[in-house]
Amino acid sequence: MEVTLLGTGDTTGTPTVGCDCDTCTTARENGVERSRFSVHVRNERTDESLLVDTSPDFRRQFLDHDVALPDAALVTHIHFDHLDGLGNAFRLFSDLPVHAANETDPKTGESVADTVRGKYDYLDALSVHGQRPLESFSSCGFDVTFVPVSHPPLVCYGVVIESDDAKLAITGDTNYGIPDESRARLADADLLLADAIAPAAFCEHHPLGGDHHDADGTPRTFGTKHMTCEGALSLADELGATETRLVHVSHFFPADEAFAEPLAVDGERYVL
């Protein structure tokens, strides 16, 4: 299993358009980028590729990184930065299966699969396949499972991708309050990609502060929707991953911390 991190940033990416903060300035000066979230997973045995989330930066990501166009895609939730690149399928694909959870979201009255199907019904190349959360299905020679996480107010899912000898776990966009059954599915991965949007100290700038505090009072959730860096590392310790990379990273990290381990940047590649 070959994993390429195409996009490791949050909704605005780093550098953020129009921002001259120290972190964005450092990123520009060093040619480092965190575009909107997307992960490319290649099955080395079959040479098929699976794309996790379709970033609005799809075109640039595939031009910049030496990876093949996907044979199938997964969509974890319906936010812009994870879905809206799917329009790039126009004239690039003759057939692209897209997998998404079929669980109805009380907030929208439809599932992620329903939303994808309706929004992109003009793309004949797409076939949308609804999948039951916590039930594995096969795609590109992998066993794939959507696992419910906590990203209010919408339903959102992490993803587990497994082959005979490798396991990739992706938390998806989530706060620290991931359900126990999902934690069990995410555990013991060879590589864990964990949402870590900001350092805990930055919670003081969020209107809602932080949540899911540890025994020392450190918030493991930034606001309500995402984990802090400290929260993601705490989760990683619990899940026992062999290697952890923090993704969905914002420009809210201080410049001297923003590009240090274990915060990921675009283009990293791992063979599991």
Side-chain angles (χ1 to χ4, degrees):
M1 184 188 301
E2 183 181 76
V3 181
T4 303
L5 310 187
L6 298 181
T8 56
D10 68 338
T11 308
T12 65
T14 302
T16 294
V17 173
C19 181
D20 61 358
C21 74
D22 289 346
T23 299
C24 289
T25 299
T26 298
R28 291 188 185 98
E29 289 175 346
N30 291 281
V32 177
E33 185 167 10
R34 290 188 175 115
S35 60
R36 273 71 68 90
F37 184 80
S38 188
V39 178
H40 186 276
V41 186
R42 185 172 76 91
N43 187 329
E44 295 172 298
R45 294 174 178 169
T46 66
D47 202 31
E48 295 174 287
S49 298
L50 185 62
L51 185 66
V52 182
D53 284 338
T54 54
S55 168
D57 297 313
F58 182 107
R59 178 178 179 274
R60 188 76 258 161
Q61 290 171 347
F62 277 87
L63 289 174
D64 286 348
H65 304 291
D66 185 22
V67 293
L69 285 172
D71 297 284
L74 311 178
V75 175
T76 62
H77 67 297
I78 62 173
H79 278 159
F80 155 80
D81 52 325
H82 295 258
L83 172 60
D84 280 20
L86 193 54
N88 285 277
F90 181 66
R91 293 199 305 206
L92 291 185
F93 300 93
S94 59
D95 176 37
L96 182 68
V98 179
H99 301 278
N102 65 3
E103 178 183 34
T104 300
D105 187 339
K107 185 71 175 179
T108 66
E110 58 185 20
S111 68
V112 175
D114 290 334
T115 299
V116 175
R117 191 177 291 114
K119 185 170 184 175
Y120 294 102
D121 63 348
Y122 65 93
L123 293 176
D124 293 337
L126 300 187
S127 57
V128 180
H129 303 267
Q131 305 292 347
R132 290 179 61 85
L134 297 172
E135 290 189 8
S136 295
F137 60 95
S138 180
S139 182
C140 297
F142 295 119
D143 290 326
V144 182
T145 310
F146 286 111
V147 297
V149 292
S150 181
H151 187 55
L154 300 175
V155 295
C156 186
Y157 304 88
V159 177
V160 176
I161 300 172
E162 297 176 274
S163 62
D164 291 339
D165 54 1
K167 179 176 180 178
L168 169 66
I170 303 173
T171 68
D173 283 16
T174 185
N175 63 35
Y176 188 74
I178 298 173
D180 289 343
E181 188 169 5
S182 295
R183 288 173 183 253
R185 298 297 185 93
L186 293 165
D188 302 319
D190 296 291
L191 176 63
L192 171 68
L193 304 179
D195 172 11
I197 198 167
F202 204 78
C203 288
E204 66 181 69
H205 300 290
H206 194 291
L208 299 177
D211 200 358
H212 299 110
H213 297 78
D214 66 16
D216 296 323
T218 301
R220 292 177 287 196
T221 292
F222 177 73
T224 62
K225 297 182 180 183
H226 297 274
M227 287 188 286
T228 62
C229 177
E230 290 84 347
L233 291 176
S234 178
L235 179 71
D237 284 343
E238 175 190 332
L239 297 182
T242 301
E243 183 165 8
T244 298
R245 302 301 286 164
L246 304 186
V247 295
H248 209 277
V249 177
S250 73
H251 66 146
F252 298 142
F253 284 85
D256 60 349
E257 301 175 9
F259 307 104
E261 297 291 327
L263 302 180
V265 296
D266 291 9
E268 294 181 12
R269 186 167 295 169
Y270 300 90
V271 177
L272 309 184

